[in-house]
Amino acid sequence: MTSTQARHTRRAVLQAAIDANAHCHDADVDLFFRGDGEQHTTWQARRTEALRLCAGCPVRAACEELALRDGEGRADRDDMVRGGRTGAGLATARTAQAVRLAAAVDADLDTEGRLLDRLTVELSVAATADTDRTVKGRRVRPAQVQEQQNTQVRTLAAQIRQIRTARRARAGWGVAA
C-alpha cells in the first residue's frame, strides 16, 4: 500500500491491513517505545532497529497514516517509532497535513457510526422526556405518555444494539451485546 492509497483508505481497512501484514506483529512492542529513564544511547540503538524493521514493512504507509490520524507523537519528545517515523517526525507531518487529516478522521466516522451517534442522542432525549403533555389543549394522561416513551426507548435501544452487534461481529469481537 502506497502513502497515497493509505491517505484515501478508511480506518478499518488500514487496521485490517496492519493486523494481517505488519512486520512488527511478532516483535516486542518495547522495541518501538522509549522506556522511562532509558538512556539516550540505548534508545537510539533500539529506535534505529525499529526504523529498519519499519522500512521494509509492506504496510508501513498504513501504519503511518493511522498514527497520524490518532495524533501520535510529539515534537518535543523522542520516545516512539510508528509507521517508519519517530514521534517528532509524526508531529511534524501531522502539522503539515492538518487539513487533510481532519477530513480523513471525519470520513472515518462512517455513516453507520453517525447513525449510532444520532440514535444514542435520541434515546437519551426519549428516556429523560417529561411526561406532562397536552394535545389540542387537553392534558394527556402521564401513564399514556410514559407508555409511548417506553416503546420509543425500547425501539431505539434495539436499533442501537443491532448496529453495535453487527459492528462487533465485523471487527471479530463475536456477538456479545
Side-chain angles (χ1 to χ4, degrees):
M1 176 177 290
T2 67
S3 293
T4 301
Q5 289 170 326
R7 288 179 179 147
H8 297 290
T9 303
R10 296 295 262 286
R11 173 179 296 279
V13 175
L14 293 170
Q15 188 63 59
I18 292 166
D19 291 345
N21 301 302
H23 281 177
C24 63
H25 184 55
D26 294 324
D28 183 359
V29 71
D30 291 338
L31 174 66
F32 300 92
F33 296 95
R34 185 176 184 174
D36 292 336
E38 182 176 8
Q39 291 184 8
H40 179 71
T41 54
T42 305
W43 165 240
Q44 194 171 13
R46 281 191 313 104
R47 181 184 64 205
T48 300
E49 183 181 345
L51 289 169
R52 190 174 307 125
L53 184 64
C54 288
C57 185
V59 291
R60 186 209 54 77
C63 187
E64 176 187 352
E65 181 65 19
L66 276 185
L68 291 170
R69 290 183 193 187
D70 291 343
E72 292 190 10
R74 292 180 31 191
D76 63 336
R77 296 194 65 187
D78 177 23
D79 63 351
M80 68 173 295
V81 171
R82 182 157 178 212
R85 289 187 184 251
T86 64
L90 287 167
T92 300
R94 194 173 52 254
T95 299
Q97 300 175 38
V99 173
R100 181 194 68 77
L101 288 168
V105 168
D106 187 50
D108 285 338
L109 297 173
D110 60 302
T111 304
E112 186 179 59
R114 289 183 186 141
L115 174 61
L116 187 57
D117 291 344
R118 184 180 59 77
L119 290 171
T120 302
V121 169
E122 285 183 36
L123 176 65
S124 177
V125 169
T128 59
D130 190 0
T131 58
D132 189 22
R133 300 237 175 98
T134 58
V135 175
K136 296 182 181 181
R138 300 185 85 185
R139 186 167 187 264
V140 179
R141 291 180 313 135
Q144 183 182 357
V145 173
Q146 186 67 54
E147 186 178 321
Q148 291 170 349
Q149 283 177 293
N150 289 345
T151 300
Q152 183 181 15
V153 166
R154 281 191 295 275
T155 300
L156 290 167
Q159 290 172 335
I160 290 168
R161 188 170 35 259
Q162 181 180 13
I163 291 169
R164 286 182 175 163
T165 299
R167 288 169 74 100
R168 288 177 179 137
R170 284 193 307 270
W173 295 356
V175 291

